[in-house]
Amino acid sequence: MTPSDPFVVPTFSAITPAGDQRWSTWPATTPTQRGPRPFPAWVVTSAAAIDTELGVVKSGKEADVFLIERAVPADVQLGASEASAVVLAAKRYRSADHSDFHRSSQYREGRGVRNTRDRRAMARGSSYGRNVQAGLWAAAEFDALSVLHARGVAVPYPVQISGTEILMEFIGDGHTAAPRLAQIPKGSAALPDLYAQVVQILLGIARAGFAHGDLSAYNLLVHAGRVVVIDVPQLVDVVSNPTGVDLLERDCCNVVEWFRRRGVHADLDSLLADCLVEAFSR
């Protein structure tokens, strides 16, 4: 029989994952735990792949971001269209014993928790309740990335979610993360174009009915001249959330003030009005 015969069991590598490795978690995920279709060509879906942890990209109060290489060993046969290796960002929301959740309740307005036990545990702030909350924030971010990516907003592609870990597209070169907008020099000639891109991101999020809720020059990455927005677990429904309009205005203010301080013409009233029209025209 030939390698393409459907009854041939593929030969897996004799390599056993080491301490900083694991078998790919992709096969264990369900369709709803995977990113929007069609999957990008670079997504590695082989069950023979191994995830290797390469280090920490960013540490935060609520989550840490790690660099993961998902690769198929060289001795494993692949189809012509299958990707063999990719570097991913793994965002892991912290467990109850190590997290410091500070997300304000204003972000959670309109978000229901169906399980009564979970609601009570979260209200008490118990260890179990905080674990539930970590899972909710991870799910909220994965859903937000999926919705925004499907709408063409510049966000990292969400590959999959497993519990409190989100695997997503790594924005950077090699193993080096892209700089944040805040790191762009004040006199850069690229600033007007970057502002125009951020405006499109704001409008795209508003068109989906949301405000980012915490937008600043620190959660906007610049890679190869392209602005990408990150950190979206607190995405707020502008219409149903009582503070939605206020948070949208704050996002616009943060962006306009940052660019104005760098000499870029930015009109707050016009930007906010355009975002409100998009948000209320759904």
Side-chain angles (χ1 to χ4, degrees), residues 61-146:
K61 292 182 178 180
E62 301 163 4
D64 296 321
V65 180
F66 295 82
L67 199 61
I68 298 288
E69 181 187 55
R70 173 165 289 176
V72 180
D75 60 345
V76 176
Q77 296 174 343
L78 291 174
S81 63
E82 292 184 85
S84 61
V86 66
V87 174
L88 302 170
K91 186 169 185 177
R92 298 171 183 165
Y93 280 83
R94 295 188 177 191
S95 67
D97 296 331
H98 302 94
S99 64
D100 180 22
F101 280 92
H102 68 272
R103 300 287 182 187
S104 169
S105 61
Q106 67 181 329
Y107 296 121
R108 300 195 300 270
E109 287 288 339
R111 294 185 187 178
V113 178
R114 294 182 180 180
N115 187 294
T116 303
R117 179 197 176 201
D118 290 351
R119 286 202 306 270
R120 289 199 301 263
M122 289 174 63
R124 290 196 304 268
S126 67
S127 176
Y128 172 77
R130 294 178 71 184
N131 279 328
V132 170
Q133 187 171 328
L136 289 176
W137 281 117
E141 178 150 33
F142 182 77
D143 290 345
L145 288 170
S146 298

Side-chain angles (χ1 to χ4, degrees), residues 5 36 122 153:
D5 192 303
M122 289 174 63
V153 179

